[in-house]
Amino acid sequence: MPDENIKHIKMGLAGLSEEIELRLSLACGLLAASQIDIEIQDWQGNESDILIVDIDSGHGRLAYEMAQRRNLPVLVFPRSGDNETQYASKLDRDAPAAALARALQEKLQPSSEVSSDDVQGLLGICIREAGCSQDLLVKRGGIAMILRHSAGRILARSVSDLTIAEARVLDGTWLCMTRPAKDPYQNEWLVSRSLDGFLIKACVKYRDGLPRLGGKLFRLTRWPDLGSVTEDMDALRLSALLQRSAWSAEALAQHTQLSADIINAFLWATLASGALARADGTTLKPDATQAPAAPSSLIQRVARHFGLKLGYSHA
């Protein structure tokens, strides 16, 4: 009877030299101890769970392009001496079999499932309270703000308070409570900003402190309010793609050639604002009765200028 705990993988190879194929074969053998059984095959468009390609060869480049179109996980041996081109996952062509095995295991068997509990501070509060219909009062020291998820807004007493909050978005000392009926700052909430835009700016700025979301699939459930980040073409492009279909962070990096850190930051920000959800519906689901917001006319003009399709249509 086969062991149900063994993970069976079909791995396609494209454009690799015999010497690299030999080291990869040895690496796959080493993974048997981790209960990963890999079937290696020369890739000619056949069914595979993952591809290994060498961009130095024409066959490897063609396979890489096809993998991008199919959203198929791919590990790349870059051109010799190419340190500029961005790939979501790269392999060192001179790495020994043991190092290749570690890289493959990290790709095929992520160490743990990231959850909202892995994120602290104001960002963590926003994630855990996404979909909340009540106004929430968040405080840190002398800074106080209102989170209004239902309207996608964050309210503050001054622009400087928002700037400080952005710089402390991952600080673990934030407190959160339901806004009291007798709000002591009732008449002081003079500054209102898009929660989407605030979180996107903060997460991109402090992207190095965010855990990786891995290979899970995400999709926008509404168009995010990008009014305060209209100059951020990366956010606009990612929004357009994620509204049309479900993507993983890895597939987005392969498709767009954007930095994996930027994509990871955008996904965390829109998860926290309630605009993004897991494609399988297992986490953070905004109110299904809330109609998707249409991109503003300014956003539409910018998108047309850069040749982007926003994928929005009126019912």
Side-chain angles (χ1 to χ4, degrees):
M1 182 175 179
D3 190 334
E4 295 181 357
N5 293 321
I6 295 179
K7 189 171 187 177
H8 298 280
I9 301 294
K10 287 185 178 180
M11 177 185 291
L13 307 183
L16 274 58
S17 67
E18 290 185 7
E19 190 271 334
I20 291 180
E21 282 194 20
L22 176 60
R23 274 185 286 132
L24 269 175
S25 178
L26 293 172
C28 292
L30 293 174
L31 291 178
S34 301
Q35 295 189 308
I36 301 177
D37 174 51
I38 299 180
E39 176 188 340
I40 297 177
Q41 54 189 356
D42 183 34
W43 195 73
Q44 300 293 337
N46 42 316
E47 181 182 351
S48 297
D49 298 304
I50 187 171
L51 291 185
I52 312 292
V53 306
D54 190 338
I55 299 297
D56 256 346
S57 73
H59 181 37
R61 289 192 295 275
L62 177 61
Y64 177 72
E65 291 171 2
M66 293 182 69
Q68 286 187 299
R69 290 198 293 270
R70 296 182 184 183
N71 290 336
L72 185 65
V74 59
L75 286 163
V76 174
F77 287 102
R79 290 180 184 274
S80 301
D82 179 6
N83 298 316
E84 301 297 326
T85 307
Q86 294 289 325
Y87 296 104
S89 300
K90 293 193 294 186
L91 293 173
D92 181 353
R93 63 178 61 250
D94 297 319
L100 292 175
R102 286 194 296 273
L104 288 173
Q105 184 170 13
E106 183 178 334
K107 187 79 170 178
L108 298 171
Q109 199 176 56
S111 58
S112 62
E113 180 85 356
V114 175
S115 73
S116 61
D117 292 334
D118 295 311
V119 180
Q120 302 301 315
L122 183 56
L123 181 64
I125 291 171
C126 288
I127 289 173
R128 288 182 281 277
E129 299 296 342
C132 178
S133 60
Q134 296 178 298
D135 281 4
L136 299 174
L137 176 65
V138 290
K139 301 177 68 176
R140 180 190 178 277
I143 304 297
M145 293 182 301
I146 296 293
L147 292 179
R148 188 169 287 167
H149 268 290
S150 59
R153 308 299 292 178
I154 184 168
L155 312 180
R157 290 176 288 174
S158 68
V159 173
S160 62
D161 279 3
L162 278 176
T163 302
I164 293 171
E166 181 183 304
R168 300 289 184 266
V169 70
L170 299 178
D171 193 312
T173 59
W174 285 93
L175 301 175
C176 177
M177 65 197 77
T178 302
R179 183 181 181 181
K182 294 184 178 180
D183 184 350
Y185 310 113
Q186 179 69 41
N187 300 316
E188 298 182 29
W189 304 117
L190 303 177
V191 179
S192 175
R193 292 288 186 272
S194 156
L195 183 59
D196 294 310
F198 169 83
L199 289 171
I200 289 170
K201 288 174 65 177
C203 287
V204 168
K205 191 171 183 178
Y206 298 100
R207 55 189 179 273
D208 291 341
L210 296 172
R212 295 286 182 173
L213 281 165
K216 295 179 287 296
L217 292 174
F218 297 95
R219 186 169 187 170
L220 283 172
T221 58
R222 63 169 174 81
W223 184 267
D225 180 357
L226 304 177
S228 62
V229 288
T230 51
E231 74 285 357
D232 187 344
M233 296 310 302
D234 294 343
L236 180 61
R237 188 179 182 192
L238 292 171
S239 296
L241 290 169
L242 285 160
Q243 192 179 53
R244 285 201 298 268
S245 58
W247 292 81
S248 67
E250 181 179 276
L252 282 170
Q254 293 171 3
H255 179 76
T256 63
Q257 296 297 299
L258 294 175
S259 160
D261 290 340
I262 294 292
I263 292 170
N264 192 59
F266 179 85
L267 294 179
W268 274 116
T270 46
L271 276 172
S273 71
L276 190 75
R278 280 278 292 273
D280 58 12
T282 57
T283 62
L284 300 183
K285 213 170 188 178
D287 184 357
T289 64
Q290 186 176 4
S296 70
S297 58
L298 174 60
I299 293 290
Q300 291 172 334
R301 290 198 300 273
V302 173
R304 283 195 297 269
H305 176 73
F306 284 88
L308 296 172
K309 295 180 180 179
L310 301 184
Y312 176 85
S313 61
H314 292 284

